[in-house]
Coordinates of all heavy atoms in Angstrom, one line a residue:
T1 N 220.1 93.3 -133.4 CA 219.5 93.7 -132.1 C 218.6 92.6 -131.6 O 218.0 91.8 -132.4 CB 218.8 95.0 -132.3 OG1 217.7 94.8 -133.2 CG2 219.7 96.1 -132.7
N2 N 218.3 92.6 -130.4 CA 217.3 91.7 -129.8 C 215.9 92.1 -130.2 O 215.6 93.3 -130.3 CB 217.5 91.6 -128.3 CG 218.8 91.0 -127.8 OD1 219.4 90.2 -128.5 ND2 219.2 91.4 -126.6
E3 N 215.1 91.1 -130.3 CA 213.7 91.3 -130.6 C 212.8 90.6 -129.6 O 213.3 89.7 -128.9 CB 213.3 90.8 -132.0 CG 213.9 91.7 -133.1 CD 213.2 91.4 -134.5 OE1 212.6 90.3 -134.6 OE2 213.4 92.2 -135.4
I4 N 211.6 91.0 -129.5 CA 210.6 90.4 -128.6 C 209.3 90.2 -129.4 O 209.0 91.0 -130.3 CB 210.4 91.3 -127.4 CG1 209.5 90.6 -126.4 CG2 209.7 92.6 -127.8 CD1 209.5 91.4 -125.0
C5 N 208.7 89.1 -129.1 CA 207.4 88.8 -129.7 C 206.4 88.6 -128.5 O 206.7 87.8 -127.6 CB 207.4 87.6 -130.6 SG 205.8 87.2 -131.3
T6 N 205.3 89.3 -128.5 CA 204.4 89.2 -127.4 C 203.0 89.0 -127.9 O 202.6 89.5 -128.9 CB 204.5 90.4 -126.4 OG1 203.6 90.2 -125.3 CG2 204.1 91.7 -127.2
I7 N 202.2 88.2 -127.1 CA 200.8 88.0 -127.4 C 200.0 88.4 -126.2 O 200.3 88.0 -125.1 CB 200.6 86.5 -127.7 CG1 201.4 86.0 -129.0 CG2 199.1 86.2 -127.9 CD1 201.3 84.5 -129.2
Q8 N 199.1 89.3 -126.5 CA 198.2 89.8 -125.4 C 196.8 89.3 -125.7 O 196.3 89.6 -126.9 CB 198.2 91.3 -125.4 CG 199.6 91.9 -125.2 CD 200.2 91.7 -123.9 OE1 199.5 92.0 -122.9 NE2 201.4 91.3 -123.8
D9 N 196.1 88.7 -124.8 CA 194.7 88.3 -125.0 C 193.8 89.1 -124.1 O 194.1 89.4 -123.0 CB 194.5 86.8 -124.6 CG 195.2 85.9 -125.6 OD1 195.2 86.1 -126.8 OD2 195.7 84.8 -125.2
Y10 N 192.7 89.6 -124.8 CA 191.8 90.5 -124.1 C 190.4 89.9 -124.3 O 190.1 89.2 -125.3 CB 191.8 91.9 -124.7 CG 193.2 92.6 -124.6 CD1 194.1 92.5 -125.7 CD2 193.6 93.2 -123.4 CE1 195.3 93.1 -125.6 CE2 194.9 93.8 -123.3 CZ 195.7 93.7 -124.4 OH 196.9 94.3 -124.3
Y11 N 189.5 90.3 -123.5 CA 188.1 90.0 -123.6 C 187.3 91.3 -123.8 O 187.4 92.1 -122.8 CB 187.6 89.2 -122.4 CG 186.2 88.7 -122.5 CD1 185.9 87.5 -123.2 CD2 185.1 89.3 -121.8 CE1 184.6 87.0 -123.3 CE2 183.8 88.8 -121.9 CZ 183.6 87.7 -122.7 OH 182.3 87.2 -122.8
A12 N 186.7 91.6 -124.9 CA 186.2 92.9 -125.2 C 185.0 92.8 -126.1 O 184.9 91.9 -127.0 CB 187.3 93.8 -125.8
D13 N 184.1 93.7 -126.0 CA 183.0 93.8 -127.0 C 183.5 94.5 -128.2 O 184.7 94.9 -128.3 CB 181.8 94.5 -126.4 CG 182.0 96.0 -126.0 OD1 182.9 96.6 -126.5 OD2 181.3 96.5 -125.1
V14 N 182.7 94.7 -129.2 CA 183.1 95.2 -130.5 C 183.6 96.7 -130.4 O 184.7 97.0 -131.0 CB 181.9 95.2 -131.5 CG1 182.2 96.0 -132.8 CG2 181.4 93.8 -131.8
E15 N 183.0 97.5 -129.6 CA 183.5 98.9 -129.4 C 184.8 98.9 -128.7 O 185.7 99.6 -129.1 CB 182.5 99.6 -128.5 CG 182.8 101.1 -128.4 CD 181.7 101.9 -127.6 OE1 180.6 101.8 -128.1 OE2 182.0 102.4 -126.6
E16 N 185.0 98.1 -127.7 CA 186.3 98.0 -127.0 C 187.4 97.4 -127.9 O 188.5 97.9 -127.9 CB 186.2 97.2 -125.7 CG 185.4 97.8 -124.6 CD 185.1 96.8 -123.5 OE1 184.8 95.6 -123.8 OE2 185.2 97.2 -122.3
A17 N 187.0 96.5 -128.7 CA 188.0 95.9 -129.7 C 188.5 96.9 -130.7 O 189.6 97.0 -131.0 CB 187.3 94.7 -130.4
Q18 N 187.6 97.8 -131.1 CA 187.9 98.9 -132.1 C 188.9 99.8 -131.4 O 189.9 100.3 -132.0 CB 186.7 99.6 -132.5 CG 187.0 100.7 -133.5 CD 187.6 100.2 -134.8 OE1 187.3 99.1 -135.3 NE2 188.4 101.0 -135.4
E19 N 188.6 100.1 -130.1 CA 189.5 101.0 -129.4 C 190.9 100.4 -129.2 O 191.9 101.1 -129.4 CB 188.9 101.3 -128.0 CG 189.7 102.3 -127.2 CD 189.1 102.5 -125.8 OE1 188.0 102.2 -125.6 OE2 189.9 103.0 -124.9
I20 N 190.9 99.1 -128.8 CA 192.2 98.5 -128.7 C 193.0 98.5 -130.0 O 194.2 98.8 -130.0 CB 192.0 97.0 -128.2 CG1 191.5 97.0 -126.7 CG2 193.3 96.2 -128.3 CD1 191.0 95.7 -126.3
S21 N 192.3 98.2 -131.1 CA 193.0 98.2 -132.4 C 193.5 99.6 -132.7 O 194.7 99.7 -133.2 CB 191.9 97.8 -133.5 OG 192.5 97.9 -134.7
E22 N 192.7 100.6 -132.5 CA 193.2 102.0 -132.8 C 194.4 102.4 -132.0 O 195.3 103.0 -132.5 CB 192.1 103.0 -132.6 CG 191.0 102.9 -133.7 CD 189.8 103.8 -133.4 OE1 189.9 104.7 -132.5 OE2 188.8 103.7 -134.1
I23 N 194.4 102.0 -130.7 CA 195.5 102.4 -129.8 C 196.8 101.7 -130.3 O 197.8 102.4 -130.5 CB 195.2 102.0 -128.4 CG1 194.1 102.8 -127.8 CG2 196.5 102.0 -127.5 CD1 193.5 102.3 -126.5
F24 N 196.7 100.4 -130.6 CA 197.9 99.7 -131.0 C 198.4 100.1 -132.4 O 199.5 100.3 -132.7 CB 197.8 98.2 -130.9 CG 197.9 97.7 -129.5 CD1 196.8 97.2 -128.8 CD2 199.2 97.6 -128.9 CE1 197.0 96.7 -127.5 CE2 199.4 97.1 -127.6 CZ 198.2 96.7 -126.9
C25 N 197.4 100.3 -133.3 CA 197.7 100.8 -134.7 C 198.4 102.1 -134.7 O 199.5 102.3 -135.3 CB 196.5 100.9 -135.6 SG 195.9 99.3 -136.2
N26 N 197.9 103.1 -133.9 CA 198.5 104.4 -133.8 C 199.9 104.3 -133.2 O 200.8 105.0 -133.7 CB 197.6 105.3 -133.0 CG 196.3 105.7 -133.7 OD1 196.2 105.6 -134.9 ND2 195.3 106.1 -132.9
A27 N 200.1 103.5 -132.2 CA 201.4 103.4 -131.5 C 202.4 102.8 -132.5 O 203.5 103.3 -132.6 CB 201.3 102.6 -130.2
V28 N 202.0 101.8 -133.2 CA 202.9 101.1 -134.1 C 203.3 102.1 -135.3 O 204.4 102.2 -135.7 CB 202.3 99.8 -134.7 CG1 203.1 99.3 -135.8 CG2 202.3 98.8 -133.5
N29 N 202.3 102.8 -135.8 CA 202.5 103.7 -136.9 C 203.4 104.9 -136.5 O 204.2 105.4 -137.3 CB 201.2 104.3 -137.4 CG 200.5 103.2 -138.2 OD1 201.0 102.3 -138.8 ND2 199.2 103.4 -138.3
E30 N 203.4 105.3 -135.2 CA 204.2 106.4 -134.7 C 205.6 105.9 -134.4 O 206.6 106.7 -134.3 CB 203.6 106.9 -133.4 CG 202.3 107.7 -133.7 CD 201.6 108.2 -132.4 OE1 202.2 108.0 -131.3 OE2 200.5 108.7 -132.5
S31 N 205.8 104.6 -134.2 CA 207.1 104.0 -134.0 C 207.9 103.9 -135.3 O 207.4 103.5 -136.3 CB 207.0 102.6 -133.3 OG 208.3 102.0 -133.2
S32 N 209.2 104.3 -135.2 CA 210.0 104.2 -136.4 C 210.9 102.9 -136.3 O 211.8 102.8 -137.1 CB 211.0 105.4 -136.4 OG 211.8 105.5 -135.3
A33 N 210.6 102.0 -135.4 CA 211.4 100.8 -135.2 C 210.9 99.6 -136.0 O 211.4 98.5 -135.8 CB 211.4 100.5 -133.7
G34 N 209.9 99.8 -136.8 CA 209.4 98.7 -137.7 C 208.8 97.6 -136.9 O 208.9 96.4 -137.2
V35 N 208.0 97.9 -135.9 CA 207.3 96.9 -135.1 C 206.1 96.3 -135.9 O 205.4 97.0 -136.6 CB 206.7 97.5 -133.8 CG1 205.8 96.5 -133.0 CG2 207.8 98.0 -132.9
Q36 N 206.0 95.0 -135.9 CA 204.9 94.3 -136.6 C 203.8 94.1 -135.6 O 204.0 93.8 -134.5 CB 205.4 93.0 -137.1 CG 206.5 93.1 -138.1 CD 207.0 91.7 -138.5 OE1 206.5 90.7 -138.2 NE2 208.1 91.7 -139.3
F37 N 202.6 94.4 -136.1 CA 201.3 94.3 -135.3 C 200.3 93.5 -136.1 O 200.1 93.6 -137.3 CB 200.8 95.7 -135.1 CG 199.4 95.8 -134.6 CD1 199.0 95.4 -133.3 CD2 198.4 96.2 -135.5 CE1 197.7 95.5 -132.9 CE2 197.1 96.3 -135.1 CZ 196.7 95.9 -133.8
S38 N 199.6 92.6 -135.3 CA 198.5 91.9 -135.9 C 197.5 91.7 -134.8 O 197.8 91.7 -133.6 CB 198.8 90.6 -136.6 OG 199.3 89.7 -135.6
M39 N 196.2 91.7 -135.2 CA 195.1 91.5 -134.2 C 194.1 90.6 -134.8 O 193.7 90.7 -136.0 CB 194.5 92.8 -133.9 CG 193.4 92.8 -132.9 SD 192.8 94.4 -132.4 CE 191.1 94.1 -132.1
D40 N 193.7 89.6 -134.0 CA 192.6 88.7 -134.4 C 191.5 88.8 -133.4 O 191.7 89.0 -132.2 CB 193.1 87.2 -134.4 CG 194.2 87.0 -135.4 OD1 194.0 87.5 -136.5 OD2 195.2 86.3 -135.1
R41 N 190.3 88.7 -133.9 CA 189.1 88.7 -133.0 C 188.2 87.6 -133.4 O 187.9 87.3 -134.5 CB 188.4 90.1 -133.2 CG 187.2 90.3 -132.3 CD 186.6 91.7 -132.4 NE 185.9 91.9 -133.6 CZ 184.6 91.7 -133.8 NH1 183.9 91.2 -132.8 NH2 184.1 92.0 -134.9
S42 N 187.7 86.9 -132.3 CA 186.8 85.9 -132.5 C 185.7 86.1 -131.4 O 186.0 85.8 -130.2 CB 187.4 84.5 -132.3 OG 186.4 83.5 -132.4
G43 N 184.6 86.6 -131.8 CA 183.6 87.0 -130.8 C 184.1 88.1 -129.9 O 184.6 89.1 -130.3
K44 N 184.2 87.8 -128.6 CA 184.7 88.8 -127.6 C 186.2 88.5 -127.2 O 186.7 89.2 -126.4 CB 183.8 88.8 -126.4 CG 182.5 89.4 -126.6 CD 181.7 89.6 -125.4 CE 180.4 90.3 -125.7 NZ 179.8 90.9 -124.5
H45 N 186.8 87.6 -127.9 CA 188.2 87.2 -127.6 C 189.1 88.0 -128.6 O 188.9 87.8 -129.8 CB 188.4 85.7 -127.7 CG 187.6 85.0 -126.7 ND1 188.0 84.9 -125.3 CD2 186.4 84.3 -126.8 CE1 187.1 84.2 -124.7 NE2 186.1 83.8 -125.5
I46 N 190.0 88.8 -128.1 CA 190.9 89.6 -128.9 C 192.3 89.2 -128.6 O 192.7 89.0 -127.5 CB 190.8 91.1 -128.5 CG1 189.3 91.6 -128.5 CG2 191.6 92.0 -129.4 CD1 188.5 91.4 -129.7
R47 N 193.0 88.9 -129.7 CA 194.5 88.6 -129.5 C 195.3 89.6 -130.3 O 195.1 89.8 -131.5 CB 194.7 87.2 -130.1 CG 196.2 86.8 -130.0 CD 196.5 85.4 -130.1 NE 196.2 84.8 -128.8 CZ 196.2 83.5 -128.6 NH1 196.5 82.7 -129.5 NH2 196.0 83.1 -127.3
V48 N 196.2 90.3 -129.6 CA 197.1 91.3 -130.1 C 198.5 90.7 -130.1 O 199.0 90.2 -129.1 CB 197.1 92.6 -129.3 CG1 198.1 93.6 -129.8 CG2 195.7 93.2 -129.4
M49 N 199.2 90.8 -131.3 CA 200.5 90.3 -131.4 C 201.4 91.4 -131.8 O 201.1 92.1 -132.8 CB 200.6 89.1 -132.4 CG 199.9 87.9 -131.9 SD 199.5 86.7 -133.1 CE 198.0 87.4 -133.8
L50 N 202.5 91.6 -131.1 CA 203.5 92.6 -131.5 C 204.9 91.9 -131.6 O 205.2 91.0 -130.8 CB 203.6 93.7 -130.4 CG 202.4 94.5 -130.1 CD1 202.6 95.3 -128.9 CD2 202.1 95.4 -131.3
K51 N 205.7 92.3 -132.6 CA 207.0 91.7 -132.8 C 207.9 92.9 -133.2 O 207.6 93.6 -134.1 CB 207.0 90.6 -133.8 CG 208.4 90.0 -134.1 CD 208.3 89.0 -135.1 CE 209.6 88.4 -135.5 NZ 210.5 89.2 -136.2
G52 N 209.1 93.0 -132.6 CA 210.0 94.0 -133.0 C 211.1 94.2 -132.0 O 211.3 93.4 -131.1
A53 N 211.8 95.3 -132.1 CA 212.9 95.6 -131.2 C 212.3 95.6 -129.8 O 211.2 96.2 -129.6 CB 213.5 96.9 -131.5
E54 N 213.1 95.1 -128.8 CA 212.6 95.0 -127.4 C 212.1 96.3 -126.9 O 211.0 96.4 -126.3 CB 213.7 94.5 -126.5 CG 214.1 93.1 -126.7 CD 215.3 92.6 -125.8 OE1 216.2 93.4 -125.7 OE2 215.2 91.5 -125.3
D55 N 212.9 97.4 -127.0 CA 212.5 98.6 -126.4 C 211.3 99.2 -127.1 O 210.4 99.8 -126.4 CB 213.7 99.6 -126.5 CG 214.2 99.9 -127.9 OD1 214.0 99.1 -128.8 OD2 215.0 100.9 -128.0
A56 N 211.2 99.1 -128.4 CA 210.0 99.6 -129.1 C 208.7 98.9 -128.7 O 207.7 99.5 -128.5 CB 210.2 99.5 -130.6
V57 N 208.8 97.5 -128.6 CA 207.6 96.8 -128.2 C 207.2 97.1 -126.8 O 206.0 97.3 -126.5 CB 207.8 95.3 -128.4 CG1 206.7 94.5 -127.8 CG2 207.9 94.9 -129.9
M58 N 208.2 97.2 -125.9 CA 207.9 97.5 -124.5 C 207.3 98.9 -124.4 O 206.4 99.2 -123.5 CB 209.1 97.3 -123.7 CG 209.6 95.9 -123.6 SD 208.3 94.7 -123.0 CE 208.0 95.3 -121.4
D59 N 207.8 99.9 -125.2 CA 207.3 101.2 -125.1 C 205.8 101.3 -125.5 O 205.0 102.0 -125.0 CB 208.1 102.2 -126.1 CG 209.4 102.5 -125.5 OD1 209.7 102.3 -124.3 OD2 210.3 103.0 -126.3
I60 N 205.4 100.5 -126.6 CA 204.1 100.4 -127.0 C 203.2 99.8 -125.9 O 202.1 100.3 -125.6 CB 204.0 99.6 -128.3 CG1 204.6 100.5 -129.5 CG2 202.5 99.3 -128.7 CD1 204.8 99.7 -130.8
L61 N 203.6 98.7 -125.4 CA 202.8 98.1 -124.3 C 202.7 99.0 -123.1 O 201.6 99.1 -122.5 CB 203.5 96.7 -123.8 CG 203.4 95.6 -124.8 CD1 204.2 94.4 -124.4 CD2 201.9 95.2 -125.1
D62 N 203.8 99.7 -122.7 CA 203.7 100.6 -121.6 C 202.7 101.7 -121.9 O 201.9 102.1 -121.0 CB 205.1 101.2 -121.4 CG 205.2 102.1 -120.1 OD1 204.8 101.6 -119.1 OD2 205.7 103.2 -120.3
A63 N 202.7 102.3 -123.1 CA 201.8 103.3 -123.4 C 200.3 102.8 -123.4 O 199.4 103.5 -122.9 CB 202.1 103.9 -124.8
Y64 N 200.1 101.6 -123.8 CA 198.8 101.0 -123.7 C 198.3 100.9 -122.3 O 197.2 101.3 -122.0 CB 198.7 99.6 -124.4 CG 197.4 99.0 -124.2 CD1 196.3 99.4 -125.1 CD2 197.1 98.0 -123.3 CE1 195.0 98.8 -124.9 CE2 195.9 97.5 -123.1 CZ 194.8 97.9 -123.9 OH 193.6 97.3 -123.8
Y65 N 199.1 100.4 -121.4 CA 198.7 100.2 -120.0 C 198.7 101.5 -119.2 O 198.0 101.5 -118.2 CB 199.6 99.1 -119.4 CG 199.2 97.7 -119.9 CD1 200.0 97.0 -120.7 CD2 198.0 97.2 -119.5 CE1 199.6 95.8 -121.2 CE2 197.6 95.9 -120.0 CZ 198.4 95.2 -120.8 OH 198.0 94.0 -121.3
R66 N 199.3 102.5 -119.7 CA 199.4 103.8 -118.9 C 198.3 104.7 -119.4 O 198.1 105.8 -118.8 CB 200.7 104.5 -119.1 CG 201.8 103.8 -118.3 CD 203.1 104.6 -118.5 NE 204.1 104.0 -117.7 CZ 204.6 104.5 -116.5 NH1 204.0 105.6 -116.0 NH2 205.5 103.9 -115.9
R67 N 197.5 104.4 -120.4 CA 196.5 105.3 -121.0 C 195.4 105.5 -119.9 O 195.2 104.7 -119.0 CB 195.9 104.7 -122.2 CG 194.9 103.6 -122.0 CD 194.6 102.9 -123.3 NE 193.4 102.0 -123.1 CZ 193.4 100.9 -122.4 NH1 194.5 100.5 -121.8 NH2 192.3 100.2 -122.3
G68 N 194.8 106.6 -120.0 CA 193.9 107.0 -119.0 C 192.5 107.0 -119.3 O 191.7 106.7 -120.0

């Protein structure tokens, strides 16, 4: 199957970084598609990396951007 790898860069304080991490961790853990997730933080710069099946990665990104 096709896979996608995406890198998302955010600018966030510590509290927002924790929220971003929790959102992506929960979404990846709920996915049964074996999506790989990693997050790096350097000061206020946050980098989120997702790799896996196209539809699963896109579903996770869609859920992140649709949150209220």
Side-chain angles (χ1 to χ4, degrees):
T1 63
N2 292 333
E3 287 193 344
I4 189 170
C5 180
T6 182
I7 298 172
Q8 306 287 314
D9 289 324
Y10 303 97
Y11 187 77
D13 62 25
V14 174
E15 185 176 300
E16 290 170 316
Q18 181 64 32
E19 180 182 344
I20 290 169
S21 176
E22 288 176 10
I23 290 168
F24 281 108
C25 280
N26 289 339
V28 168
N29 288 336
E30 290 173 5
S31 172
S32 61
V35 174
Q36 296 175 9
F37 163 74
S38 66
M39 181 174 148
D40 294 319
R41 184 171 71 89
S42 177
K44 291 191 175 198
H45 299 280
I46 311 302
R47 175 162 282 177
V48 172
M49 293 162 277
L50 297 169
K51 179 183 179 287
E54 289 175 319
D55 57 342
V57 170
M58 293 307 295
D59 286 347
I60 291 169
L61 289 174
D62 186 53
Y64 175 78
Y65 285 107
R66 287 184 180 257
R67 74 192 195 291

